[in-house]
Amino acid sequence: MKLHEVSENYDSAARYYDRLTDIVFGRILKLEKYRGHTIDLLGDLDGATVLDVGCGTGRNFPLLVERVGKQGKIIGVDYSEGMLEQAQRSIRTEGWRNIELICDDAARLDRVTEPIDAVTAIWCLGIVYDLEASLNRIADLMRPGGRFATMDFEKSRPDKGLLRWLYPVYRIVLQYAGIDSPEDLDNAKLEAKWARGKGVLRERLIGLREEHYLNGAGMIIEGRKS
Ligand SMILES: C[S@@+](CC[C@H](N)C(=O)[O-])C[C@H]1O[C@@H](n2cnc3c(N)ncnc32)[C@H](O)[C@@H]1O
């Protein structure tokens, strides 16, 4: 998704993003359960500085806040000001004091300047227009031994299962909701993009491990910096 589309699409989707995600990814596809699992792959986060790339409305924050504790810190980065406003609202409501929000491009992360102990990104990296640049910058920011865990879609259409057949409807819903661009829903392009992205991860991280969900359409990747 091009950078101007991130603002256009997500600024207007921000108000209903949580409700839509609860219904489509939570109740229908039952994928929300993998969020906590992905964050658990980051290991012990007590006192850690965690970067949440494409944090959106902050759906990871409740899980991260309890894991980093009072001495830790969460840096949430997103390019959509609308999504960040929703995240800020939750921070105010919950009274969280150790979350910093930064409006920045995930492919550059120029405004993240401190070393990072752990990085997560949920359903974001696959839509970043330059995935390879993003992963290289993430690896640069990580401290030696730092952990990385992401959950994403490697295919926009599963090879089997209900969603394979419901895919045309799912695609129309996401496009109509103004969330995904046609490019993000192109199966061949997404697979090729992640094949290149995994090449960067193999070069920059060690201990890479992959899991799959949603009949192979979704993947969770973990690794660490040597
Ligand atoms: C599907 S949402 C996921 C949000 C959140 N991680 C979650 O789990 O609900 C994708 C997020 O990635 C952000 N995003 C996409 N491309 C980006 C980019 N190049 N730089 C920063 N954020 C980006 C969008 O603004 C959006 O908030």
Side-chain angles (χ1 to χ4, degrees):
M1 177 180 293
K2 293 175 191 73
L3 211 44
H4 70 90
E5 291 173 315
V6 177
S7 310
E8 283 161 19
N9 294 11
Y10 280 95
D11 281 0
S12 46
R15 274 173 295 115
Y16 56 82
Y17 177 83
D18 280 332
R19 255 171 292 146
L20 187 71
T21 303
D22 283 341
I23 295 169
V24 177
F25 294 98
R27 268 183 257 157
I28 301 175
L29 297 174
K30 304 205 183 315
L31 303 182
E32 277 291 325
K33 60 187 175 216
Y34 300 115
R35 185 185 293 278
H37 171 62
T38 307
I39 288 172
D40 281 342
L41 294 173
L42 296 173
D44 180 7
L45 293 177
D46 195 21
T49 299
V50 181
L51 176 65
D52 183 356
V53 181
C55 65
T57 57
R59 294 175 75 85
N60 293 334
F61 293 168
L63 299 165
L64 291 172
V65 162
E66 67 178 33
R67 286 164 174 79
V68 301
K70 288 216 165 60
Q71 304 305 318
K73 176 178 176 183
I74 297 147
I75 302 174
V77 173
D78 206 284
Y79 195 72
S80 160
E81 295 195 357
M83 295 293 267
L84 289 176
E85 273 165 30
Q86 298 296 322
Q88 188 61 59
R89 190 172 297 189
S90 304
I91 292 172
R92 235 180 284 124
T93 308
E94 298 294 336
W96 293 321
R97 293 177 175 277
N98 51 353
I99 304 179
E100 181 186 359
L101 296 180
I102 298 181
C103 187
D104 201 357
D105 174 7
R108 302 178 58 102
L109 297 171
D110 288 331
R111 300 183 60 207
V112 182
T113 50
E114 58 194 289
I116 301 295
D117 299 305
V119 181
T120 192
I122 306 289
W123 298 323
C124 168
L125 293 172
I127 59 172
V128 172
Y129 64 93
D130 191 341
L131 173 62
E132 290 157 272
S134 185
L135 293 172
N136 271 311
R137 176 68 180 141
I138 285 170
D140 289 344
L141 285 167
M142 287 165 73
R143 281 187 213 273
R147 313 269 302 234
F148 170 86
T150 190
M151 165 158 77
D152 222 306
F153 293 102
E154 181 173 29
K155 296 177 186 180
S156 58
R157 176 182 184 156
D159 293 333
K160 53 184 189 220
L162 188 61
L163 191 58
R164 175 168 178 81
W165 306 109
L166 288 181
Y167 181 71
V169 181
Y170 169 78
R171 187 183 169 123
I172 288 166
V173 169
L174 288 185
Q175 262 182 261
Y176 181 74
I179 290 185
D180 285 316
S181 68
E183 182 194 337
D184 300 327
L185 293 164
D186 182 317
N187 212 16
K189 279 192 185 157
L190 189 60
E191 280 189 272
K193 189 176 189 179
W194 267 113
R196 295 192 301 273
K198 286 181 197 177
V200 173
L201 290 175
R202 277 192 294 273
E203 276 171 28
R204 303 295 310 267
L205 302 182
I206 59 169
L208 281 179
R209 214 178 55 84
E210 233 179 273
E211 296 172 28
H212 292 270
Y213 62 89
L214 202 62
N215 293 307
M219 72 181 169
I220 295 168
I221 307 184
E222 63 161 323
R224 64 183 195 284
K225 188 160 165 175
S226 67

